[in-house]
Amino acid sequence: MLARMTAYVCPRCRIHAPADALTWCCPRCRGPWDLEFTSAPVSLTSLASRVNSLWRYKEALPLATESPRVSLGEGRTPLIPLTEDVSAKLDFLMPTLSFKDRGAVMLAELARRLDPERVLADSSGNAGTAIAAYCARAGLDCVVYVPEGTSAKKLEQIRAHGARLTVVPGDREATARAARDAASEPGTFYASHVYNPHFLHGTKTYVYELWEDLGGRLPDTLVVPVGNGTLLLGAALAVEELYGHGLVDRRPTLIAVQAEAVAPLARAYEAGAEELLSPAPVRPTLAEGIAIPNPPRAAQILRAVRATGGTFLTVTEDQLHSAQVDLARRGLFVESTGVACWAALRASPRREGLTVVPLCGAGAKTGLSPARTGSP
């Protein structure tokens, strides 16, 4: 049924399930799936003649197709210098104005092939918007669960794409629980950017694009914002694939950035733990998109950072606001979550070689953040 059919596997229990099933988590531990998929090497010289979207890396994609029906031209975002040794990838120039389009197009393509009665997603805004847009493109019925307090501009964008909104009282964690309960209803495809690994195989194209734009090499350091870790884990997947195929001769260092207000992974890393010590308390932060108190893939994120000799950095509310203003003065209006990596670099020692940060979401989604003093 699916091109290059793959299987889900639980990284903890080693239980398998077919990728054409609507089973969204491991039935034993209720954890997220990984994907049993082996990529083929991408030929750098062949790319010039290919489609100008992330589907150009077809050898690396589990849902590869010559003519993807749900594509909106996502990917191929510009890489521009911020300083002599720091460049920014402008992923806020995606069709729905965030990097989440990279994974959403994969989930929508999968859902189109499975033809469920409905697609369900949960999000603090950007992932829900992306899923709604690509479901609209695919002609799929879509409902998006969001926490109360989600940006009104993001809610408007989700509604504009024709998705039905369910606003859940409470925080992001309460929203995820409500969505997971609803995901068990018959005929439902849970388009979870956390639990479904196809999303990670979409976000890994971020690194494939860097590899292409840099002429077959990778930056020395990749700095990535981390809440649920979907961009970081996708980046780690791509690095391992490129290195494993002999297309790069070294792995870049991965640096993960969290808001100081909600930093469970940074705390676990500093303690030398392999899992979360405990869920983080839910505190308000300008970086709402990465304010995840209990990320389901925490152990995988910690392993991925440590494997590259990387580290975690945290940023204060003042640093987030200052970074957003600084980027706007450089001509780049980025939402407050999306500036976290630039905020971290401005406050950290200079690193050798080329460092790349993603600017993940457009400022039009949230507006300019208010100045704050200290942590909330």
Side-chain angles (χ1 to χ4, degrees), residues 265-348:
L265 291 159
R267 286 173 41 228
Y269 174 86
E270 290 297 329
E274 296 182 359
E275 299 266 6
L276 289 188
L277 302 174
S278 61
V282 178
R283 301 166 63 193
T285 175
L286 296 172
E288 61 180 9
I290 54 173
I292 307 299
N294 190 22
R297 294 187 184 268
Q300 290 175 281
I301 296 166
L302 291 165
R303 283 197 302 271
V305 172
R306 289 190 173 114
T308 68
T311 191
F312 279 79
L313 300 175
T314 60
V315 290
T316 67
E317 302 305 297
D318 274 353
Q319 288 169 337
L320 287 165
H321 170 76
S322 178
Q324 189 184 34
V325 171
D326 178 74
L327 286 172
R329 298 294 184 264
R330 297 168 184 261
L332 301 166
F333 188 31
V334 184
E335 70 171 323
S336 48
T337 296
V339 306
C341 293
W342 180 235
L345 284 185
R346 294 177 78 214
S348 65

Side-chain angles (χ1 to χ4, degrees), residues 213-225:
D213 290 342
L214 295 173
R217 66 183 182 93
L218 290 176
D220 299 279
T221 305
L222 292 171
V223 186
V224 186

Side-chain angles (χ1 to χ4, degrees), residues 83-101:
T83 68
E84 184 178 340
D85 52 6
V86 178
S87 290
K89 189 156 175 59
L90 309 189
D91 260 24
F92 67 88
L93 298 180
M94 289 282 193
T96 76
L97 308 182
S98 93
F99 87 94
K100 296 289 176 60
D101 289 7

Side-chain angles (χ1 to χ4, degrees), residues 355-371:
T355 296
V356 172
V357 300
L359 303 183
C360 296
K365 287 175 171 284
T366 56
L368 188 65
S369 64

Side-chain angles (χ1 to χ4, degrees), residues 15 22 68 76 79 95-96 98 118 142 168 182 189 194 225 265 267 274 282 319 323 343-344:
I15 289 176
L22 296 179
R76 304 295 293 134
L79 180 67
T96 76
S98 93
R118 71 193 64 81
C142 180
V168 179
F189 175 80
V194 181
L265 291 159
R267 286 173 41 228
E274 296 182 359
V282 178
Q319 288 169 337

Side-chain angles (χ1 to χ4, degrees), residues 39-71:
S39 68
V42 177
S43 168
L44 190 64
T45 57
S46 72
L47 293 174
S49 62
R50 294 191 181 184
V51 62
N52 194 34
S53 75
L54 61 79
W55 294 97
R56 66 201 281 109
Y57 311 110
K58 57 186 179 180
E59 296 90 345
L61 297 177
L63 297 174
T65 174
E66 292 297 329
S67 54
R69 300 188 194 177
V70 299
S71 177

